[in-house]
Every structure is written in structure tokens, then in C-alpha cells.
Amino acid sequence: MNVRISRSLGLVAVLYFTANFSAQNTKKDTLPKEQKIEEVVMIGYGTQKKSNVTGAISSIKASDLEDVPTGRPEQVLQGRAAGVSVISNSGQPGSAATVRVRGITSFGAGSNDPLWVVDGIVVDNIEWLNQADIENMEILKDGASAAIYGVAAAKGVILITTKKGSKGRLNLSYNGFFGVGTAARKLDLLNATQYATIRNEASVNDGGSPIFSNPNALGAGTNWQDVIFNSAQRQSHEFSISGGSDKSTFFTSFGYYDQEGIVMRDISNYKRINARINSTHKVFDFLTIGQTFAYTHKKSAGINANGEFGGPLSSAVNLDPTTPVLVDNVSTQPFPSDYSNQYIVRDPATGQPYGISHYVNQEMSNPLAFQQTQLGRYNWGDDLVGNVFAELKFLDHFNFKTTANGKLSYWGQQGFTPLYYLSPSLKNDTFNSLFRQNEKKFEWSTENTVTYQNKFGSHNLSVLLGQGYYEYNISSGQNVTYTNLPVNNWQDASFNFDIPQADRTTAAWDGKETHKTSYFARVVYDFENKYLFTGTMRRDGSSKFAKAHHWGNFPAFSLGWNVSNENFWPQNDIVNSLKFRGGYGILGNDAIDNFQFANFLVAGSNYSFGDNNIHIGYAPSTLENPDLKWEKTSQLNVAADLKLFKNFDLTVDVYRKKTSDILRQVNIPGYLGLTNNPWRNIGDMNNNGIEVSLGYKKNWGDFGISANGNFGYLKNEITRLEDNKLYENFASFQSMGAVSRLQVGSPYGSFYGYQNMGIFQNQAEIDAYKNSNGALIQPNAKPGDFKRLDANGDGKIDENDYVYLGNSVPKYTFGFTLNLNYKNFDLMVFAQGQAGNKIFQGLRRLDIGSANYQTAILDRWTGEGTSDSTPRVTVTDPNQNFTRMSDYYLQDGSYLRLKLVSLGYTLPKEVSKAFGASKVRFYVTGENLVTFTKYTGYDPEIAGGDTFGIDRAYYPQARTFLFGANVQF
């Protein structure tokens, strides 16, 4: 057991407790109950004993993160906190995850990302943060706990505290791993013989002749998935040094992370370098100063991670298997003229041209040839994040703290586009170009707080008063493009070439600064640790709204009752402790660009007047709306915390969350001549849910076990849209148009389309499907086509017959972690998943009739009675079987994934000491080992910002095996 004095946000001195359970420590805990030190949690601008917390707060400690080898720190939240959904945006190295706290809060103003607060610094993302530097993470989920952050808190708040030094000898530690990842799954695509057979059948069904004379002679052909997928190395190395004296403490760390992609690693990779220093200095007994500072450099290359219009993944799925990867003899190809262009791309090693598909063109191309045109492209970024603070104690019970926070970011991209010929429809034969773009942004804030804390007999009181000022988006950028360079490869391309001015293009811009001023207060009171109260008020003023709506007030309160602390509570071995809590709060959201309430003049409306010369003209950009105001989210939370049978901890939360006056741009008629749609407060939405967390911990001699599981249920419903509209189209797919909607009475982003009622087996069934006038409801249908529901009963099939087909956002999320210890061995098993959602599988290009299919097409209708679920193959598709949205494209998105299994061994202390170390641990880890799902795409875990469950050729997560070591000195 380790007990130390710590300061959290500099407001309150608390005793912080960390307990490490290992098989080697078999001594019984003999501390009397009244001497035990309770765990504390961060509550925003302060801390509170966990037993007295009245809000819905989930806590994750550094010990929970040690065995989680993620490239992005937000991914460690996945499956570890009830009500927090974390879905990977893709498996591409460096890709972010979509984090949602208690569902989708808004569908207009900005993203639904939570507010990130790192060491008191509000930041827009945590990509720059080194996971190994995290001491703990607290998720403020309900209105009562998050209201202290006011207008920025509607979508949840995640507080992160980084590690600090402690008094004592110098501590050095190393944590690193190396591993290799591969694709966990590949699609079952048609081989060359099957492809030719299906193509012939489709041509005949459309009234044509067979395309391939002898499909069997083609054999298996090219499996393009084998071309794009590769093994990928991954490594991480982290060093830290910490220590301190009675006067000063420090923590310093250095990190290096390098990951290759499992899809064409030469153009899909990510590297990151981190450095951090945190320090605290006690200048006088009453004055403490300190700082945190972190620097991050990252560099990445990436492909289209979830897009149907080109890129290696989409090409691998859609390209015909009859085309070879390389061509050794052009004259033997069916269409040798395809290889006559001077800019055809060739293999650097052999000089052979890459195979060109004559059947599948548009954005599709040979992935290896495409890769040659993308080499040398990269994105980069530098982030500097830090703060300085001073903390003054006075009059025994008062504490004043002032903090200055800042984040300075530089980022950009560079790439060379050579002259190339990939196919007749995908080529660049006009000029090459070299492009570079650089941007920077500075954001800063200052906050001042005064805390009064005292105990009067059985009364405990803490009062916080605070003020803050914030400046956002002090930004600028510029780019330059050189064309017609005298070289045609990325290695030699340079801006040092002296090219004509006409071949140089530049641009520059400045951002729109945002200002915010805040005042906040909080009262925390308890009586004998039985009756608990927290009240919060924050008042925020923002430059984003007109004068009449500059200010918003965000109040909250919560109550708690520690029933088991009552004198009447009997000591028992069943329910050891019981606490009821509940709260209500109002939060805000202003995540729109600055000055959207106003009507500004913008250039571009040029005109000719009198002299026939063109003059630069200015015109209004949009319609003004001085009534534009905050979104407001109110949330009610009731809960119970129990300790059962001495070893079980159970928490149950029930919440109701309502967002009103949702900010969203509205469509206006084109004849108004405005360039931007105006913003209005146009919608309402509800999120209701239940969260359950259950933990167990026990030791038996040399054996120890801990298990934690969580479950979340979410019901989302849109209750109002602009001007009483029934729905708005949401996500679209190719020429199919909208596949999901925002519809009143349905969940956010629900899938809407035709409901299929089987397949017409013969002409008689088509003739029998008539309307009240005796006309055929589907006059273009043929046997083998879908029979569709006439939902509105108007006797015809059109988009007015679209019906609700399923939810894109999971209703259920769950996670489970098991830790076992036996002597020097430890085992961790972590699984997570989701259920209650659908996935739109849009892997095949609809506008390329000759694109390849998955082998499911082999179960197509070929005659009466052969299939009632997969229609006949056709390219012209007169019944729109494939070219219109229907339940044919939706699959069950539920899955359970064995996310991590880690087996470790810690050397005996006497052996470690021989190396001069206090601890040496080795471990092997398997990641994404098994996924149980009915989904037939690459990966059922599909997000992408606020659009869920649409698979456009999703970059899958890798199955990875790692070997690592933890060493402490």
C-alpha cells in the first residue's frame, strides 16, 4: 500500500490512495476502518471523496491503461465506462476514435465529441497526449457533474490528469513493446472464373450476349486483397524520470511510437514523438507554483480509410480478378492499346507495366500503380500544450489559484502529383505539381479560483468561486503549388526549381477568433457523510451570438444519501454499503463558427458596369439571425451505488437527457443568391438510458482476481425538426441518394429505404401485385426481382414508400475486463462489443456494372424457387434492385470482440536487483484476436465522426501480437 500527499488542480490538499494487489503480498489489511484513506476523484476544479460523489462519474486509473497498447489515448476508454461509446474511425495508423458520452447530443452544431480537459487545459483533441503520461481519467457524464464547464459541457466532459513527481529517490522507468499486425479478415470475393460466369449471366439477363467465351479457362485470377494487405510492424518506447524533495517535485517523460498500416504500409503509416515535463515548487508554506508542458511531433501518411470513390481498399473489392498485377507481355493482353500511353506506371524493380483493368475503371485502379503516384505525401503536426499556476493559502481555510493555459499547434501537408496513366478514366497527363500547406493556431485561457473549505462539527462545507477568460482560434494558414516541374518523381521534386510565375499558385487566410468569459460557483456540503448536496452555477458569455444572446446560465444540483452510514443500518454481509444519488443540470453548446448570427459581405459577386470591364463585387453571404442562441441540454440522473458481499461493487444509473433549440443550418432557395445557408435553432432530441457497472475483487493467498463489467442501454429519438418538417435526409451513398434520415419519432441517423417482401418467382406473381385500379405496382419487374412494400398504399413504388429499417447507432454497449494474478504471473483479458444497430454494406460500386461481387451473389435467383433473398444479376437493373436503398444492404452490426489478452511475468525481486532494477516485467499481448459477428464486411466497428454504420470500404483494425517489457529503477 502506498500513501502520499498530493494536490489535485491545486485547490485542495488531499490524501491520495493507491493500492497495488499482487500475489506476493499476502498480508491482511490491518488498518482500522476509521484510519483507511478513501479514494478521491476529480470533479472539475477540485476533488471529492468517491463515497460522497453525487454525480455520474466514471474513473479510469493509470493501472487500467498499462496493458492497453493503443496509438491514440482516447481508445483506452473503449469498453471501460458504462454509457461511453468509443468506436474506431478506421484501422489506419493514427486514426482517431469517435467518443460519445450518453449518446448523440446534437445533430447540427459541431461534432458530438466530449470536452477534453487535460491538467485544467481545455483542448480540442488529445492526439498529442502520450498515454503513458496519464495518471487518471474521469468522465463527467451527467448534467450535475458536468455543469461546472457550462456551455462546453453538453456532450460530456473528460478530465485527464497527467503524472506528477513525488518526494523521494529518483525513479526511472521504461515501457516498450514491439509487434506485428495482419488483417484479421478478408472478404470472400469472386475469383476470375466465377466473375466471368456472373458477368455472362448478367449480360444475358439484360438481353445481350456472353462477354467471356470460356470462363473456366481463366482460373482463379488475381486476388486484389492479397495485393493490398501486408504485415505491419508496430513499436512503442517510453521513458520517464521522476522524483523530488520537500520543496520541489518533477516528472519528465519521452515517448516514441511507430506504426505501419496493414494496407499498403508505404502510404499508410504513423509516427509520433512526445516529451513532457511537469513540476511543482513550494516557494513558501503558503505559496506553491508549478507548470505542465508537453511537446508532440507527429507525421503520417494515409489512404482513403472509408470511401467508395477510389483508393486501395475500394479498388481491391471492385476490380475484376481477370486483370493481372503486372504485365510481362503487352501483346498477350486482350486490350494492348491500354498500355501505349507514355505515362503508364511501371514497377520500379522490373520495369513491367502494372495491369490495367479494361472492365472496371472510373476511380478504380491497380493498387500498386496507385501507390506509386502517392509516395512522398504526408501530413505533419507539432503541438505545444502547457500551463503555469500559482496557489496561495490564506486565512486557514482559503485557497486561491491562478492558472494560465495555452496550446500552440502547427500542422500541414505536402505531396507531389506526377504525370501518370492508371486507366483511361484515371490519369494525369497535363502537368505535375508539388503542393505544400502550413497552418498554425494558438488558443489560451486564464482562470482564477478561490476555495473555502471547513468542517463545523458534523458539517463539511466547500465553496468554490471562479472566473475564466478564453481565446480560441487565433489561426492562419497558407499554401503554395508549383506546376510543370522538370522532374516527375517525388524524390527530386522541390520548391527550389526556378519555374515561371504563371506556374506558381499561392493562397493565405486568417481564422475568426472567438472569445468567451465565464463565472462559476459550486457549493459542496455533507452532514456526517450521510446527507450530500452539490450545487453549481456557471455563466458563460460568447462572441458567437448577438448582443441579446451573449450570455447563458447553466445551473445544476445533485443530492445523495449514504444510507449505510445511518445508525439504523444493520451491519450485514450482504449489502455492505448503499448510497442513493440524483441530480439535474442544464448544459450548453455553442460549437458553431463565429458571427453566424450576422450577415457579412463577401467577395465573388463580380459585375460589368458601363465600360464592359469586370469589377469585383460584394454581396451578403447569408441571412442574418439576431435571435440565434445556445443549444441547451438538460439532464436528469438517478442512481444507486452498492457494495455487496464485501467483494462486489455495483452501480446503476438511469438518465433522461433532452437537447432543445438544436443549432443547424437550414436550406434556402437558390434564387436568393446567397453563398451560405443560415443557422437557426431548429430541433429537439432525447436520449434516455440505463448504465450498469459491476466489479469484483478478491485474493486467496498467492492467487488474486479482479473483474469489472459494464453495460449501457441508449434510446435516442428526434422529437422536433425545422418548421414541423417530418424528416431531413442525412447520409447518402453514391447514386443511391440518401440512405439515412433525421426523422421525427426515430433515432438519429436511422436507415430508411424500401422494405423487400421477397423475390418475384414468376410472371404470375408480378401480374398479381396490382393496385386498386388494376395497374401493376412494379411494371418494370421481371422474375427474379425484388417485390417491394407499397408502404403508403398509393399503388406505386417510389421514395414515398421508404420505411424505417434500423438504427445506425448501437442501442447496447458493453465491456468486460478480467485480471488474474498468481505469484509472479498476471493475465488480463478484455472484451467489448455493441448490439442493436445495423450496418449499411456499401462495398460494391453501383455505377460500375462490371465491378466484382462478394461470393454471396452465387446464391442469386436463377430460376423459380432458387432464392428469395438475393435477386437475379443485371446491369441495367430496371427494377432498381441494387441501385436504390433497401433492407438488402443492411446487416446486423452486433459484435463481441476479444480485444486484448495479455500475459505477463514479473521477475523475482532478487533477480531484478541484480540488474539494478526494482521491477522487471515481460509480457505478450494479442489484440483483436477474435470477433464474433454476423456482419460480412471487414470490420463491424464502424464510425466516422457523427455518421455511424456505413461501410464504404472500411479500413479494418489489425490483429496484432506484441512483446513488451516494463522496467523500473
Side-chain angles (χ1 to χ4, degrees):
M1 184 179 69
N2 178 28
V3 181
R4 63 181 185 271
I5 299 293
S6 163
R7 298 188 186 276
S8 182
L9 290 183
L11 295 176
V12 188
V14 297
L15 286 173
Y16 191 87
F17 172 72
T18 302
N20 294 310
F21 295 92
S22 70
Q24 293 178 324
N25 183 9
T26 59
K27 294 182 180 180
K28 185 178 179 181
D29 184 4
T30 57
L31 278 177
K33 180 177 180 180
E34 62 274 10
Q35 294 182 12
K36 291 185 179 180
I37 303 172
E38 293 195 61
E39 183 181 354
V40 298
V41 297
M42 303 294 299
I43 58 172
Y45 303 101
T47 60
Q48 190 174 14
K49 291 191 298 183
K50 187 175 182 179
S51 62
N52 286 352
V53 167
T54 53
I57 301 177
S58 292
S59 183
I60 299 173
K61 303 301 182 184
S63 57
D64 301 321
L65 311 179
E66 292 176 352
D67 294 326
V68 184
T70 64
R72 298 270 304 212
E74 69 266 27
Q75 292 172 340
V76 302
L77 295 169
Q78 187 177 53
R80 298 179 185 277
V84 180
S85 171
V86 181
I87 304 176
S88 174
N89 288 351
S90 82
Q92 182 155 253
S95 178
T98 295
V99 181
R100 298 293 175 261
V101 178
R102 291 187 167 179
I104 304 296
T105 304
S106 175
F107 50 74
S111 73
N112 280 278
D113 294 337
L115 178 70
W116 300 98
V117 183
V118 181
D119 291 327
I121 308 168
V122 174
V123 292
D124 52 356
N125 65 72
I126 57 170
E127 179 186 3
W128 53 272
L129 183 61
N130 185 0
Q131 176 185 318
D133 291 344
I134 297 175
E135 180 67 28
N136 53 58
M137 305 173 76
E138 259 80 39
I139 304 115
L140 313 184
K141 298 185 290 186
D142 67 327
S145 60
I148 193 68
Y149 290 99
V151 71
K155 298 161 184 178
V157 180
I158 299 181
L159 307 178
I160 299 176
T161 304
T162 59
K163 295 177 180 177
K164 308 296 189 295
S166 57
K167 174 185 173 182
R169 69 182 184 87
L170 197 66
N171 295 296
L172 292 83
S173 68
Y174 165 79
N175 184 17
F177 62 77
F178 177 85
V180 177
T182 57
R185 171 193 284 189
K186 294 181 181 178
L187 304 182
D188 293 326
L189 299 173
L190 299 183
N191 63 30
T193 296
Q194 294 167 331
Y195 171 81
T197 301
I198 292 295
R199 287 289 313 281
N200 285 348
E201 185 178 315
S203 180
V204 171
N205 287 342
D206 291 336
S209 301
I211 299 171
F212 296 91
S213 59
N214 186 7
N216 290 326
L218 298 173
T222 302
N223 186 334
W224 290 105
Q225 294 180 101
D226 293 340
V227 173
I228 66 165
F229 284 110
N230 51 246
S231 61
Q233 295 183 3
R234 182 173 162 197
Q235 60 179 311
S236 176
H237 306 281
E238 297 160 344
F239 300 88
S240 69
I241 306 173
S242 65
S245 64
D246 292 333
K247 296 293 184 180
S248 297
T249 61
F250 73 94
F251 173 85
T252 302
S253 69
F254 307 90
Y256 173 77
Y257 183 85
D258 185 356
Q259 183 179 4
E260 298 175 337
I262 60 171
V263 179
M264 312 205 82
R265 55 177 170 253
D266 289 343
I267 56 173
S268 176
N269 48 71
Y270 176 80
K271 292 183 180 180
R272 186 183 67 230
I273 299 172
N274 300 86
R276 168 176 292 276
I277 180 167
N278 296 343
S279 67
T280 303
H281 310 280
K282 192 172 184 179
V283 182
F284 303 105
D285 289 341
F286 59 87
L287 177 64
T288 301
I289 62 174
Q291 56 76 227
T292 68
F293 176 78
Y295 166 74
T296 301
H297 172 74
K298 50 189 180 290
K299 183 178 180 181
S300 64
I303 65 172
N304 194 341
N306 190 21
E308 67 268 40
F309 297 111
L313 274 161
S314 185
S315 293
V317 173
N318 286 277
L319 278 175
D320 63 279
T322 64
T323 298
V325 178
L326 287 171
V327 176
D328 54 3
N329 188 347
V330 171
S331 63
T332 62
Q333 294 303 298
F335 306 96
S337 60
D338 288 341
Y339 300 88
S340 61
N341 192 284
Q342 63 175 319
Y343 299 120
I344 191 169
V345 183
R346 298 178 179 272
D347 177 60
T350 65
Q352 296 174 311
Y354 289 107
I356 299 173
S357 174
H358 185 78
Y359 303 109
V360 182
N361 292 146
Q362 297 194 31
E363 298 88 1
M364 304 302 155
S365 64
N366 187 316
L368 290 181
F370 172 81
Q371 178 177 250
Q372 294 299 315
T373 70
Q374 304 298 302
L375 293 174
R377 295 174 179 264
Y378 65 90
N379 301 304
W380 65 274
D382 289 308
D383 292 296
L384 297 97
V385 184
N387 68 7
V388 293
F389 68 86
E391 181 183 357
L392 178 67
K393 295 181 179 180
F394 63 99
L395 299 178
D396 292 333
H397 302 290
F398 288 89
N399 197 80
F400 171 76
K401 184 177 181 181
T402 183
T403 306
N405 310 303
K407 181 183 180 185
L408 178 61
S409 298
Y410 298 88
W411 71 97
Q413 55 182 309
Q414 181 166 318
F416 177 70
T417 302
L419 294 162
Y420 62 81
Y421 181 88
L422 299 178
S423 72
S425 59
L426 191 59
K427 57 186 176 181
N428 176 38
D429 55 8
T430 53
F431 55 80
N432 60 28
S433 62
L434 179 63
F435 171 80
R436 177 184 291 167
Q437 179 170 310
N438 296 323
E439 298 185 65
K440 67 177 180 180
K441 181 169 68 174
F442 177 55
E443 298 182 335
W444 66 274
S445 65
T446 179
E447 293 180 321
N448 300 284
T449 59
V450 176
T451 304
Y452 171 79
Q453 187 166 351
N454 202 356
K455 182 175 182 179
F456 309 92
S458 298
H459 304 273
N460 290 289
L461 177 66
S462 175
V463 180
L464 168 75
L465 298 176
Q467 171 271 334
Y469 180 77
Y470 312 85
E471 290 270 1
Y472 298 117
N473 201 37
I474 307 171
S475 61
S476 63
Q478 57 278 323
N479 62 40
V480 59
T481 302
Y482 279 20
T483 58
N484 289 313
L485 276 71
V487 297
N488 201 43
N489 62 80
W490 66 273
Q491 297 96 330
D492 296 329
S494 170
F495 288 104
N496 290 326
F497 284 111
D498 186 15
I499 63 172
Q501 192 64 41
D503 291 331
R504 307 182 186 194
T505 303
T506 60
W509 57 92
D510 292 316
K512 297 177 182 177
E513 297 181 20
T514 300
H515 319 282
K516 188 174 75 174
T517 298
S518 302
Y519 303 94
F520 48 92
R522 180 176 58 214
V523 176
V524 179
Y525 168 80
D526 75 78
F527 177 74
E528 293 185 341
N529 292 327
K530 298 177 184 178
Y531 313 114
L532 318 170
F533 170 80
T534 301
T536 304
M537 170 61 78
R538 181 158 180 144
R539 180 171 171 81
D540 286 317
S542 173
S543 64
K544 293 185 177 182
F545 300 98
K547 186 176 181 179
H549 299 286
H550 271 329
W551 292 92
N553 299 317
F554 305 98
F557 74 92
S558 57
L559 302 170
W561 180 24
N562 272 320
V563 184
S564 51
N565 286 347
E566 294 283 3
N567 294 330
F568 63 75
W569 182 261
Q571 293 293 324
N572 64 89
D573 294 330
I574 300 176
V575 181
N576 310 117
S577 67
L578 171 64
K579 179 174 71 175
F580 294 114
R581 52 185 169 83
Y584 178 82
I586 298 175
L587 310 172
N589 178 29
D590 67 343
I592 59 175
D593 288 337
N594 218 352
F595 308 121
Q596 294 303 310
F597 62 89
N599 183 4
F600 289 96
L601 297 178
V602 295
S605 299
N606 300 336
Y607 62 96
S608 175
F609 182 78
D611 55 6
N612 292 323
N613 292 324
I614 300 297
H615 299 270
I616 296 176
Y618 292 82
S621 61
T622 189
L623 300 175
E624 68 176 357
N625 181 9
D627 294 324
L628 200 67
K629 58 185 178 182
W630 318 86
E631 285 183 6
K632 287 193 175 181
T633 298
S634 60
Q635 190 172 169
L636 174 68
N637 189 90
V638 294
D641 302 320
L642 300 89
K643 189 172 189 65
L644 305 170
F645 304 103
K646 296 184 179 180
N647 301 111
F648 290 90
D649 291 289
L650 174 66
T651 296
V652 180
D653 284 82
V654 180
Y655 64 89
R656 299 188 65 180
K657 178 179 174 183
K658 178 180 179 179
T659 304
S660 56
D661 294 326
I662 289 176
L663 288 161
R664 186 172 174 83
Q665 285 181 287
V666 297
N667 295 321
I668 55 177
Y671 59 74
L672 293 177
L674 302 175
T675 56
N676 297 320
N677 289 327
W679 285 84
R680 288 177 56 190
N681 297 95
I682 59 94
D684 300 333
M685 182 167 58
N686 293 337
N687 288 280
N688 301 325
I690 301 172
E691 300 165 358
V692 180
S693 298
L694 179 64
Y696 174 80
K697 181 180 289 186
K698 190 171 178 62
N699 288 320
W700 296 274
D702 290 337
F703 180 75
I705 180 174
S706 68
N708 293 279
N710 64 82
F711 168 83
Y713 164 75
L714 172 69
K715 180 183 179 182
N716 173 274
E717 182 183 5
I718 295 172
T719 57
R720 181 175 70 90
L721 286 173
E722 167 201 4
D723 300 329
N724 297 317
K725 290 175 65 174
L726 177 63
Y727 71 89
E728 289 185 12
N729 288 329
F730 191 49
S732 61
F733 181 79
Q734 298 182 28
S735 58
M736 186 181 288
V739 299
S740 63
R741 291 177 176 175
L742 304 175
Q743 178 152 331
V744 174
S746 294
Y748 167 94
S750 295
F751 292 115
Y752 273 81
Y754 290 130
Q755 180 70 60
N756 295 317
M757 299 189 298
I759 289 176
F760 291 117
Q761 298 296 321
N762 49 55
Q763 188 62 41
E765 292 184 358
I766 298 173
D767 295 339
Y769 194 37
K770 298 179 180 180
N771 58 28
S772 59
N773 296 323
L776 295 180
I777 292 179
Q778 291 181 241
N780 296 322
K782 293 184 179 180
D785 287 341
F786 279 129
K787 179 181 180 181
R788 283 175 167 152
L789 175 67
D790 178 18
N792 64 355
D794 64 357
K796 59 182 180 181
I797 301 297
D798 57 26
E799 290 191 8
N800 293 320
D801 294 305
Y802 274 18
V803 297
Y804 172 76
L805 299 176
N807 191 0
S808 64
V809 180
K811 288 183 181 179
Y812 310 98
T813 55
F814 41 85
F816 175 77
T817 304
L818 174 67
N819 288 281
L820 301 175
N821 298 282
Y822 180 71
K823 294 186 176 179
N824 288 8
F825 290 92
D826 61 88
L827 174 68
M828 189 270 285
V829 179
F830 170 52
Q832 57 83 216
Q834 63 186 36
N837 64 300
K838 298 286 187 180
I839 296 177
F840 176 92
Q841 201 206 67
L843 296 174
R844 187 172 185 269
R845 280 291 291 271
L846 303 177
D847 56 342
I848 305 177
S850 53
N852 201 7
Y853 295 84
Q854 290 180 253
T855 55
I857 199 67
L858 298 177
D859 295 327
R860 70 210 176 278
W861 186 93
T862 56
E864 190 167 349
T866 55
S867 177
D868 200 40
S869 57
T870 305
R872 67 190 180 99
V873 290
T874 171
V875 175
T876 59
D877 197 18
N879 192 57
Q880 300 180 327
N881 296 320
F882 301 103
T883 54
R884 286 294 177 268
M885 174 59 177
S886 74
D887 56 359
Y888 173 72
Y889 283 101
L890 296 182
Q891 297 183 20
D892 186 354
S894 304
Y895 74 87
L896 173 63
R897 171 168 287 163
L898 186 57
K899 189 72 176 180
L900 286 172
V901 176
S902 182
L903 177 63
Y905 177 75
T906 301
L907 294 179
K909 289 186 177 181
E910 57 272 17
V911 177
S912 300
K913 289 181 180 179
F915 298 99
S918 59
K919 178 182 177 181
V920 178
R921 175 178 176 266
F922 300 101
Y923 62 91
V924 291
T925 298
E927 186 179 28
N928 299 319
L929 296 179
V930 181
T931 302
F932 302 95
T933 182
K934 295 180 180 179
Y935 182 61
T936 61
Y938 284 118
D939 194 332
E941 186 182 333
I942 300 174
D946 288 325
T947 302
F948 292 80
I950 299 181
D951 190 348
R952 308 173 188 268
Y954 180 79
Y955 195 130
Q957 297 182 65
R959 176 185 291 144
T960 306
F961 294 93
L962 304 164
F963 174 78
N966 307 114
V967 183
Q968 297 178 10
F969 296 92

